[in-house]
Amino acid sequence: MPGVDPSEAGIPTMAPLAGKFRQKFGGADKTSVGDEEITNLKDILGIDLKNEAFATNLERLMEVLLATKVFVDTSSSDVIQGASSDLESVIQKVIVFVTEVCSRSELADNSNPVLGLYQKFFQRLILRDRTLPRPWVFTTNYDLFSERAMDRLSIPYCNGFSGSVERRFNPATFRYALAEQLDITSKRWAAVDSFIYLCKLHGSINWIEDGEGLFPIRELQNLPENTTKSRVMIYPTPAKQNTSFGSPYSDLFREFQKQVVQDQSVLIAAGYGFGDEHVNNIIFQALTIPGFRLVIFADPKTNDITQALYDLEDPRVWFIWGDGPEGGAKAHYFKTIVEHFLPEGPGNRTDDAVRKALKAFGDLAGKDSGGGEDAG
């Protein structure tokens, strides 16, 4: 995720992921890419997996593999078809690799600094003025940091799924609001202030296709061991523009478009590198609306798109970047945004103090239970 301090990153971005995946070349385990697969893809299909163009760009590799798959599936050549199984195997290994990285057990650990940062983010986000509409959080991430953070803070949220035992995707839930009953006799209700809408535009590692009918997309509470089972995720490739036209992505992107074109809407882009063409098109369309505002936490020199937006010199487009208040932490890093740009409520300092006290007492209790009785 661009704009994240490497020391706080929980999941590597596409460049580090590409390097980690290359370490699986020639391995003996079933998740590694075998020498025979590497040779067949190069000799038969002309794909050199060790090409330096793929060394820092997993997205580029997926683009080539998926485009080649379309060619192989429609080819009548027996030689080309002979490499079909190797091609499919490598594609599945990339998918398994990305999924496993996003679902590592240590990411859910209470001591993970990224999870703590997400908790602080949502804790401050709900301080939004109650006279304003409830906030929407749009993300292209597959991980479960947002859900885990809100669950542990008991923050109610809507992510498009309904149900308890079997939670299934129903876009109608984005029209719902959570309310509390103020007076039973007069039937007075008020919307819950801390409610948040979470829209995962590229799907999630815990979404699967399960059954047919109106609501085939199911949200799992526990991730299955089989990481390839019908995952509902748009994998990192420029071809994801076409993938996003299907359900549930069409519903999710429709919500995104609907919110950004609202009168006087403000879109804050943090950690987004403008690598998704469909998302970019919706943002560009919103810039045709006079009342729209775009705040981007990123260095304008990040890529050609951010530079082009900066060069517009549009007063409705704001860039925030540069050195932060702490050494090494940039102003557009997620940690800086959370700790220095988002408002801090009066109770936050007390909550932090209580949390530290509980941790300290827990550590002391652990030492006492392990140390036995005092010598007398």
Side-chain angles (χ1 to χ4, degrees):
M1 190 168 70
V4 176
D5 186 340
S7 65
E8 71 184 32
I11 296 176
T13 56
M14 286 302 109
L17 273 180
K20 289 180 178 293
F21 183 70
R22 285 170 69 91
Q23 295 175 7
K24 290 182 168 290
F25 289 179
D29 63 287
K30 63 181 180 179
T31 64
S32 297
V33 181
D35 292 330
E36 184 177 352
E37 292 173 326
I38 295 174
T39 301
N40 288 343
L41 261 61
K42 182 177 181 180
D43 294 345
I44 300 175
L45 300 177
I47 302 176
D48 184 3
L49 296 180
K50 296 182 179 181
N51 190 307
E52 287 303 312
F54 306 140
T56 58
N57 196 333
L58 192 62
E59 184 172 276
R60 177 63 176 166
L61 174 61
M62 283 293 286
E63 176 189 12
V64 171
L65 293 175
L66 293 176
T68 305
K69 185 178 185 302
V70 175
F71 164 70
V72 171
D73 289 345
T74 57
S75 175
S76 59
S77 169
D78 292 337
V79 177
I80 297 297
Q81 287 293 330
S84 176
S85 59
D86 290 325
L87 176 63
E88 182 62 34
S89 174
V90 174
I91 291 175
Q92 289 301 318
K93 286 173 181 177
V94 175
I95 291 175
V96 169
F97 171 73
V98 173
T99 305
E100 288 180 345
V101 169
C102 291
S103 56
R104 291 178 308 191
S105 59
E106 63 264 26
L107 298 179
D109 195 307
N110 283 324
S111 62
N112 189 298
V114 181
L115 182 58
L117 203 57
Y118 269 79
Q119 288 181 266
K120 188 176 293 186
F121 168 75
F122 285 105
Q123 200 169 29
R124 297 187 176 189
L125 186 63
I126 60 176
L127 297 176
R128 179 183 173 94
D129 193 316
R130 67 179 305 167
T131 61
L132 298 173
R134 294 301 87 209
W136 283 73
V137 176
F138 297 94
T139 179
T140 56
N141 293 349
Y142 312 128
D143 60 67
L144 302 177
F145 278 128
S146 294
E147 292 92 332
R148 293 190 193 281
M150 288 189 283
D151 283 348
R152 295 185 183 188
L153 292 171
S154 295
I155 295 176
Y157 63 93
C158 172
N159 65 348
F161 286 80
S162 61
S164 298
V165 177
E166 285 195 9
R167 290 180 54 80
R168 294 185 177 271
F169 181 76
N170 181 1
T173 58
F174 283 125
R175 307 276 70 80
Y176 300 161
L178 188 65
E180 57 182 341
Q181 194 170 18
L182 299 180
D183 189 339
I184 299 179
T185 57
S186 62
K187 296 183 178 180
R188 292 177 55 216
W189 303 83
V192 174
D193 294 339
S194 60
F195 195 64
I196 289 176
Y197 293 95
L198 175 66
C199 197
K200 303 184 80 170
L201 297 174
H202 285 179
S204 181
I205 59 171
N206 65 332
W207 296 5
I208 64 168
E209 292 184 27
D210 183 22
E212 299 178 353
L214 292 176
F215 310 111
I217 309 303
R218 183 180 172 190
E219 181 184 43
L220 302 178
Q221 301 304 312
N222 297 309
L223 296 177
E225 294 182 2
N226 182 2
T227 56
T228 63
K229 181 185 177 181
S230 304
R231 290 301 175 96
V232 181
M233 296 164 60
I234 298 179
Y235 289 94
T237 162
K240 59 188 172 225
Q241 161 83 358
N242 296 328
T243 309
S244 59
F245 291 143
S247 180
Y249 309 113
S250 58
D251 301 304
L252 297 169
F253 276 94
R254 188 181 303 114
E255 293 299 332
F256 178 49
Q257 186 173 35
K258 182 177 180 180
Q259 294 304 316
V260 297
V261 300
Q262 296 281 343
D263 186 40
Q264 301 297 318
S265 66
V266 178
L267 178 64
I268 300 175
Y272 176 58
F274 289 86
D276 185 296
E277 187 178 352
H278 198 170
V279 174
N280 293 348
N281 287 341
I282 293 175
I283 295 175
F284 299 156
Q285 291 167 12
L287 286 171
T288 64
I289 303 173
F292 176 71
R293 297 290 185 275
L294 176 62
V295 181
I296 304 173
F297 282 90
D299 189 331
K301 298 179 181 179
T302 300
N303 53 49
D304 293 341
I305 295 178
T306 53
Q307 188 63 57
L309 286 169
Y310 182 77
D311 292 340
L312 286 176
E313 298 184 354
D314 190 327
R316 299 171 303 153
V317 180
W318 297 2
F319 274 87
I320 299 176
W321 83 99
D323 294 331
E326 302 174 5
K330 299 295 184 180
H332 52 281
Y333 284 176
F334 186 51
K335 181 178 181 180
T336 307
I337 296 171
V338 172
E339 296 185 347
H340 298 280
F341 285 95
L342 292 181
E344 183 177 9
N348 281 8
R349 291 188 177 88
T350 303
D351 292 341
D352 290 341
V354 171
R355 193 177 300 110
K356 289 180 180 178
L358 289 174
K359 185 179 185 304
F361 293 149
D363 293 342
L364 287 174
K367 291 180 180 179
D368 291 342
S369 62
E373 296 180 357
D374 293 338

